[in-house]
Amino acid sequence: DDDDESDGDRHRYKCSVPNINCVAFHGSRLAVACENGEARLLDINADGVEDICTFKAHSRPVTEVAWPWDGQKLATSSEDKTVRIWKVSYDGNAEHMFTLKGHKKEIYSVAWAHDGERLASCSEDATVRLWRVTNYTAEHLFTLEGHAGPVNCIAWAPDGQCLATGSEDKTVRLWKT
């Protein structure tokens, strides 16, 4: 069963899913990517850990969760080859907004640019896709190709002008965006 326990100043949240693949904070909220295709939103506060919301995010394991700077949306990526965008309300409810498709294999990671609109996703298919996501639309901007193997991780430079990617081809690439 799910519950939390306090151990001094630390808290532990036990989750009944088989595996947790990623966690991401925004303020006191923690998004959790689960192996069973669920995503969870937790509130971490002085009283402990509160389970705010659990939702079926994908048909396969959720590989990553990522917040933009404003915390109003959440991106989830999955082995089901999709990225999903969720509108997260102040009380923690998550409402599906968009499904982003285009990768040919499972997606390993997603990352928001600091502008809160551009999102990058990387995949086992050796590509990185860039998207523009607003409250009203989601569109594919372009695809970056050049790695010789699966792209495992991505990170934006603070100014949003450069994207770093790491691959199983043993390279890190820097892309001007």
Side-chain angles (χ1 to χ4, degrees):
D1 285 358
D2 300 341
D3 63 354
D4 65 315
E5 297 178 3
S6 181
D7 181 13
D9 289 337
R10 298 176 304 174
H11 296 286
R12 180 177 46 223
Y13 176 79
K14 288 191 215 175
C15 197
S16 60
V17 298
N19 196 16
I20 294 173
N21 294 330
C22 179
V23 294
F25 265 111
H26 186 274
S28 67
R29 288 188 285 180
L30 182 69
V32 180
C34 303
E35 187 75 18
N36 66 353
E38 290 179 350
R40 292 179 179 221
L41 296 178
L42 309 176
D43 184 53
I44 313 300
N45 56 56
D47 296 328
V49 180
E50 180 185 352
D51 195 342
I52 300 171
C53 177
T54 299
F55 54 98
K56 185 68 174 171
H58 292 272
S59 61
R60 306 256 342 260
V62 179
T63 55
E64 182 97 34
V65 287
W67 300 96
W69 68 271
D70 65 4
Q72 295 181 6
K73 295 184 285 288
L74 180 70
T76 59
S77 62
S78 174
E79 291 181 8
D80 70 7
K81 306 176 204 170
T82 67
V83 173
R84 294 209 171 138
I85 308 300
W86 305 87
K87 181 179 180 180
V88 180
S89 64
Y90 182 75
D91 61 3
N93 289 317
E95 177 185 334
H96 180 254
M97 294 175 68
F98 306 109
T99 299
L100 310 179
K101 297 179 180 179
H103 284 290
K104 293 175 178 43
K105 295 187 177 179
E106 63 189 60
I107 300 170
Y108 290 146
S109 188
V110 289
W112 291 96
H114 294 281
D115 62 16
E117 286 191 359
R118 288 177 298 153
L119 180 74
S121 58
C122 64
S123 171
E124 185 180 359
D125 67 10
T127 68
V128 176
R129 295 177 72 87
L130 269 61
W131 314 87
R132 179 171 313 285
V133 180
T134 69
N135 288 333
Y136 307 103
T137 63
E139 65 178 324
H140 174 248
L141 297 174
F142 51 90
T143 301
L144 300 171
E145 298 178 348
H147 281 291
V151 184
N152 296 330
C153 52
I154 50 181
W156 289 91
D159 66 3
Q161 300 302 309
C162 180
L163 185 68
T165 58
S167 171
E168 290 182 22
D169 68 7
K170 301 179 184 173
T171 66
V172 172
R173 289 183 178 259
L174 303 175
W175 309 86
K176 188 174 181 179
T177 59

